[in-house]
Structures are given as C-alpha cells and as structure tokens.
Amino acid sequence: MILALAGGVGGAKLAVGLAARLPPERLGIVVNTGDDFVHHGLSISPDLDTVMYWLAGINDAGRGWGVADETWAYMAALRQAGKADWFQIGDRDLATHEYRTRRLAQGDTLSQATRLLCERLGVGHAIVPMSDRPVATIVHTGEGALAFQDYFVRRQCEPAVTAIGFEGVENAAPSPGFAQAMADPDLEAVVICPSNPLLSIEPILSLPGVREWLRHRRVPAIAVSPLVGGKAIKGPAAKIFAELGLDVSAAGIARHYRGLIDCLVVDEVDAATVPSIEAEGMRAAVTRTVMRSAADRAALAGEVLDLAARLGAGADA
Amino acid sequence: MILALAGGVGGAKLAVGLAARLPPERLGIVVNTGDDFVHHGLSISPDLDTVMYWLAGINDAGRGWGVADETWAYMAALRQAGKADWFQIGDRDLATHEYRTRRLAQGDTLSQATRLLCERLGVGHAIVPMSDRPVATIVHTGEGALAFQDYFVRRQCEPAVTAIGFEGVENAAPSPGFAQAMADPDLEAVVICPSNPLLSIEPILSLPGVREWLRHRRVPAIAVSPLVGGKAIKGPAAKIFAELGLDVSAAGIARHYRGLIDCLVVDEVDAATVPSIEAEGMRAAVTRTVMRSAADRAALAGEVLDLAARLGAGADA
C-alpha cells in the first residue's frame, strides 16, 4: 500500500499518476483540509474537491480548479443578491458542496461524506481527509492574521507572510482512514506530493502523532519538490518561502523535510542542487517533475514507485 | 512512556498503581468510551469517570463506583418527577456530567472536556478517551440487541450474550492523545489493564489502525488477566466468556490476546495455566494480581513495569 499526502493541484496531478499505476486497494490519498471553510452556509473542502475532480477526470484543465463544462447560474444569483462573490462556485461544484453540507449536518463525518461523494463520481481510489475534526490554516501577515481563503483567494496571496498556524490541530486526530494507513502492516511507502510544503503538507504533518510516526516509520518516504528552478509551478510556495527567509530552492525543500523523508525527487533543471540536498541527510533523485499531460503524470508516478521499491529493498538488505 | 489501556474499576486500580510509580509525563491512560451514553440530557462517560475518580482519590471504595461522600438529592428529584431512576447519579457525580455536557455542547472534544475535568480534580496524569467520536457498545442477547447501559445496569447483565458490536467504531479515529502516544518514539511499553477484554478493551482495539499498530509495535505489550481462578474480580467477564463459548480461564484470556501481547500476567492461583498460556505464543508471569489496597496496586504496577523493562531489554539484545 502506498500512502500519498497531497494538497491541491500539484498533489492532485501526482495522485492521478499514482492512481493510473496502482489498483484502488494499493493506494491511499490523504488530503489537506486546513483550507476548508464555510461560505454562504456551504461546507467547502477545496483540496479534497480538487483531488476528487482530478481523479474523476472531470477537472477543468484550463482553469486549473473546479469542474469542466461548468455553468455559473449560482454565482450570477449571488451577485444579483449583493452577496460576497470573491470565491467562485460553479453550479456543478455547488452540487458537491451542498451534498457535503447536508451529510455533515446529518452527523456524517467528513470521511464518510467524502467516500459518498467519490462513489457518486465513480472514483475508486481512496481519497481521505487528513482529519474529521476542523483545522483552520491561519496566515499571519503584515496586515494581521487572515483565514486561509481570505489570504489565498480574496487577497490573492498578496500580503507578506510572517507565520502560519493551524487552529484546532492539537485537537484533531488523523482521520480513521489515515490512522489505518499509518498502522497498515502492508504499507510500502509514503509519497509527499509536490504540494505547498507550508500550506498543504504542514497541516497534515502537524496532526497529533503524524510527524513522530513519519520520523520513525519503517518504510521509505519520498517527496517530490514543488519548486522547479526556484519557482513554484503554481501557487505562492516560492513567495512564502522567501518571505519567511527560507531557501527558495529544491535544497530549501530538502531542509524543510529533513528527518522526515529518505529521498527528494527534483527536476532536471535542479540537478546542480543534488549535493546540497544530500547534505541534508537524504538522497536526491533527478527526473522530469513538471506534469503537463497524463503521460507526464504516469511517468513521474512510475519513477516515484520504482524509487520506493528500490529504497524498500535496500532497507531490507 | 507507558501507555495503559483501561476500562472501568479493574483498569482504574492498575492505573492508580502505575500513577503511583510513574511521573505524569511517563504515563498515558487510554480509556474505553464504548459505554458512554446520554441520559436525562447528560453526556455520561462511566469508564472515564471511574478512572478519573480513582486517580483523584475521591472514588467510593465501598460501592466500587462513583464519588465518595456522595449525596442523592438529584436521584430523589428524578424519582419524585417519575423519571427513569435505574442509572444512579450522585450529586457530586452530576457536577461531572453537567460540566462535560456543557463543554461538549460548546464544541469542545471529549479529550478537551476530560482534560478540564482532570484539572478541576487535580489529576496530573493524562487520562485520554479512546476516541473523540461516539462509539456505542451494543450487546446482542437472547432478548435482542441492547445498548450497553441497558444490558449492564438496567438488565444487570442477565440476558445471555450472543455477540458484541461497536456502533460507529469504523468512523471513530483514535483520539489525538492516543494517536500521539502510539507514535511516541519514547513509548516504552503497552499495558492492557485487567478490564473486561470483550466489553472494555475490545472497543479500544477495534478503532481504525489500533489492532494493526499493536500487532506490529516495537515495544513490549503486557496484559494482566482479569480472570482469577476462572472468575472475574468484578463484572460479567466470566459469564460472557462462557456464553460465547470461550475458555473461562487465564488461558482463554491468552488466546483472546494472541498476537497482540508478549506476556500475560496471571494470579498465583492460576500458576497451573502457564503451559497453556505459553502454548498461545506468549510468556506468562505469575504474581498476586488481586488489588485490595494501595500497596497491592503499587506492587502489581511495579511488577508489570519491571517485566516491561526486562522484555524491552531482551528485545534490544
């Protein structure tokens, strides 16, 4: 069993590649829920939805978020009513939020609601929220503390970040599916997808027991760098790394994950960073990490899985 | 760090012994919440309360449950109002239930409410609910399926048990404190207290990932048999074992915990069962397990800790 940790689009892309390589029973995808929020009375889980839409093959590839062939009657109605319209919700997307909101109101856990949504969309691989308890990513900036979507969407990541916190994380246990995967004797490897390390992966690692488990696991852990040539493919990772005084490079990613992973996969353009990655006490693997097509995604996933198998065999020897 | 798994009175007694031997930072007590229920609008956690009252030193030693120096105005009022009075709630006990109910209604987790209750009672050692999600032990009997307290208190364990289920357990993650203890690199040993294996310990082991974790842990796990000379010190363990066709002896306990523990501690009167315990692929340790006094509790805890240290050293060699 391969356990993948993922945030939004970067994570979704590698998850799609892994799902193309592995049958459902051999893959578990644990997804960040620190970005979740309630908006117009709707329980919205942006990262879960992104991963789900990608795995269902209904994601809008052009926009990069939401559902393809989307219509916008709900947004038009919001605007007409003078309600907040800074967060885009398409009509097909709305159906997801409404279904989740109703199930949660009926007492279902987020894990249960997610499982039902995946069934509706024909997603066979397990997509699991990191926790069934609310965790709220708070972005501390020069303009004060901002709720995640406030920072990310309304303010377009403009304010300089001074710190990042995860409200409620100390009371949020890993979800049942996540707990089960961590304890699974058939676990073969952990894959940290190329999602934002500070905004998407850090909430998962901050759940009680998870960082300790990762530090002491007996199977290989591999991360794919979300920075390529010192830039993020998408999103504010590079900007935030710089604002926090971190090294904006694959080596900076290695430093961030030091002690938690055995190997960092970096892009060919970052081949020169290999010695500084190895200086952080881990291996480096160089390959093409930019995923523009289904073939790219499956190829990167295949390389990560081969790497995991080699590292696992090495550990046994 | 020693992680103890406990149910009601038998578990509380050994927990008190362990607390006498270990400073707060070296002991975590994870408690069954399958018996929890809502009664007269109150959120009641019988096993958490029993362990908490024992550790606070305010338990009623004579009655065996509840708080010492209890008064009964609330029960009198219930009877006068013609309300159900089959579950005893003393006035001091009521204060616990009311506080917990209020905190949960305000959105606290059961872990948070328990921590606050322990603070109020001056309990320094960590008492942690097995999960923050509701799990309901259902006792299937010749008279149909009964909620736990219905079976245990109202029907006084009279109906013959045919099966036991744990409603909601598949959606109940281990609590944050439990998750953290399982992943703690400083974990030294797991102690399964002499609580009812089927009603008190089984709900804990049935949480997602827990049985797998116990099976693959790297530290010693030791259980103390709740059966002495084929009888339970307290409660229906022997009766239920017999009704389910299980071997009502220390050897039956060993069979039940096979693969999950390294050693079963049995009473001197059960010395003859040692070969059949060893036949289950574990060690047996013989000592006095009946805890009538504080000295008994500390003595048994000391023996269990010595055993854990010896087994741990052996594993390293």
Side-chain angles (χ1 to χ4, degrees):
Chain A
M1 218 273 288
I2 304 292
L3 171 59
L5 309 184
V9 177
K13 286 182 176 179
L14 186 55
V16 164
L18 291 168
R21 295 267 176 194
L22 298 168
E25 66 277 12
R26 274 197 61 206
L27 177 63
I29 308 160
V30 167
V31 178
N32 170 44
T33 57
D35 304 2
D36 291 17
F37 74 135
V38 175
H39 189 57
H40 299 306
L42 299 166
S43 295
I44 302 181
S45 298
D47 283 357
L48 278 174
D49 288 349
T50 296
V51 174
M52 189 170 66
Y53 293 155
W54 272 85
L55 260 80
I58 61 166
N59 61 294
D60 187 295
R63 249 190 348 264
W65 53 267
V67 185
D69 303 320
E70 189 58 280
T71 57
W72 303 95
Y74 177 68
M75 287 308 291
L78 278 182
R79 273 185 213 107
Q80 207 159 13
K83 301 246 174 88
D85 65 350
W86 56 267
F87 189 85
Q88 299 286 308
I89 301 174
D91 299 332
R92 292 183 72 184
D93 200 24
L94 177 64
T96 299
H97 305 326
E98 281 186 331
Y99 185 78
R100 176 187 292 118
T101 304
R102 186 155 47 84
R103 299 300 317 194
L104 295 178
Q106 286 170 0
D108 275 10
T109 61
L110 184 57
S111 295
Q112 290 172 296
T114 304
R115 198 155 51 226
L116 291 167
L117 279 165
C118 284
E119 267 172 37
R120 273 165 42 130
L121 293 174
V123 175
H125 291 81
I127 300 175
V128 175
M130 65 181 201
S131 177
D132 283 334
R133 289 274 309 172
V135 174
T137 298
I138 305 292
V139 184
H140 299 268
T141 74
E143 303 182 4
L146 297 174
F148 179 79
Q149 298 298 344
D150 240 27
Y151 163 79
F152 194 72
V153 179
R154 207 177 53 79
R155 297 290 288 113
Q156 296 285 311
C157 309
E158 223 177 75
V161 174
T162 55
I164 299 167
F166 308 105
E167 218 172 77
V169 76
E170 68 281 8
N171 298 314
S175 65
F178 189 10
Q180 210 139 36
M182 286 192 284
D184 193 332
D186 295 326
L187 185 67
E188 295 163 72
V190 182
V191 175
I192 300 182
C193 292
S195 296
N196 190 313
L198 304 172
L199 291 177
S200 299
I201 302 299
E202 192 68 12
I204 306 176
L205 304 185
S206 300
L207 293 168
V210 172
R211 198 180 298 274
E212 293 76 3
W213 165 77
L214 198 53
R215 202 164 268 142
H216 297 274
R217 84 212 120 69
R218 279 179 281 184
V219 298
I222 298 166
V224 176
S225 173
L227 294 183
V228 173
K231 296 204 170 79
I233 303 292
K234 188 177 175 306
K239 179 172 181 287
I240 298 176
F241 260 63
E243 287 164 356
L244 293 176
L246 302 171
D247 176 3
V248 190
S249 74
I253 301 293
R255 188 154 320 133
H256 178 75
Y257 286 138
R258 187 192 175 99
L260 300 175
I261 60 172
D262 303 304
C263 181
L264 183 68
V265 178
V266 302
D267 194 80
E268 288 166 352
V269 305
D270 291 313
T273 63
V274 168
S276 40
I277 291 167
E278 289 173 345
E280 300 297 339
M282 63 182 70
R283 294 170 195 235
V286 179
T287 188
R288 281 197 53 207
T289 67
V290 183
M291 295 173 279
R292 298 194 203 284
S293 66
D296 289 348
R297 295 187 280 275
L300 180 57
E303 296 224 33
V304 167
L305 293 174
D306 287 350
L307 196 55
R310 282 203 304 280
L311 290 173
D316 285 349
Chain B
M1 219 271 289
I2 304 292
L3 171 59
L5 309 184
V9 176
K13 286 181 175 180
L14 185 56
V16 164
L18 291 167
R21 296 267 175 195
L22 299 166
E25 68 276 10
R26 275 198 61 207
L27 177 63
I29 308 160
V30 168
V31 177
N32 170 45
T33 57
D35 305 3
D36 291 16
F37 73 134
V38 175
H39 190 57
H40 299 307
L42 299 166
S43 295
I44 303 181
S45 298
D47 283 357
L48 279 172
D49 289 348
T50 296
V51 173
M52 189 170 66
Y53 294 154
W54 273 86
L55 259 80
I58 62 166
N59 62 296
D60 188 296
R63 247 188 351 260
W65 53 266
V67 186
D69 303 321
E70 189 58 279
T71 57
W72 303 96
Y74 177 66
M75 286 309 290
L78 278 183
R79 273 184 212 107
Q80 209 160 11
K83 300 248 174 88
D85 65 350
W86 55 267
F87 189 86
Q88 300 284 308
I89 300 174
D91 299 331
R92 293 184 71 184
D93 200 25
L94 177 64
T96 298
H97 305 327
E98 281 184 330
Y99 186 79
R100 176 187 293 118
T101 303
R102 185 155 48 82
R103 300 300 317 194
L104 294 178
Q106 287 170 0
D108 275 11
T109 61
L110 184 58
S111 295
Q112 290 172 296
T114 304
R115 197 155 51 227
L116 292 167
L117 279 166
C118 284
E119 268 172 35
R120 275 165 40 129
L121 293 175
V123 175
H125 292 80
I127 300 174
V128 175
M130 65 181 202
S131 177
D132 283 335
R133 290 275 309 174
V135 175
T137 299
I138 305 292
V139 184
H140 298 269
T141 73
E143 303 181 3
L146 298 174
F148 179 78
Q149 298 299 342
D150 240 27
Y151 163 79
F152 194 71
V153 179
R154 209 177 51 81
R155 297 289 288 115
Q156 296 285 308
C157 310
E158 223 177 75
V161 174
T162 55
I164 299 168
F166 307 107
E167 217 173 79
V169 76
E170 67 282 6
N171 298 313
S175 65
F178 188 10
Q180 210 140 35
M182 286 193 284
D184 192 331
D186 295 326
L187 185 67
E188 296 162 72
V190 182
V191 176
I192 300 182
C193 292
S195 296
N196 190 315
L198 303 172
L199 291 176
S200 299
I201 302 300
E202 192 68 13
I204 305 176
L205 303 184
S206 300
L207 293 167
V210 172
R211 198 180 297 273
E212 291 77 3
W213 165 79
L214 198 53
R215 203 164 269 144
H216 296 272
R217 84 210 121 68
R218 278 179 282 186
V219 298
I222 298 166
V224 176
S225 173
L227 294 182
V228 173
K231 295 205 171 78
I233 303 293
K234 191 178 175 302
K239 179 172 180 288
I240 298 176
F241 260 64
E243 287 163 356
L244 293 176
L246 303 171
D247 176 5
V248 191
S249 73
I253 301 293
R255 187 152 322 133
H256 178 73
Y257 286 139
R258 187 191 175 101
L260 300 175
I261 60 172
D262 302 304
C263 180
L264 183 68
V265 178
V266 301
D267 194 79
E268 289 166 351
V269 305
D270 292 311
T273 64
V274 168
S276 40
I277 292 167
E278 289 173 347
E280 300 297 337
M282 63 181 71
R283 292 170 196 236
V286 179
T287 187
R288 280 197 53 207
T289 65
V290 184
M291 295 174 278
R292 298 194 203 285
S293 66
D296 289 348
R297 295 188 280 274
L300 180 57
E303 296 221 36
V304 167
L305 293 173
D306 287 351
L307 196 55
R310 282 203 304 279
L311 290 173
D316 286 350

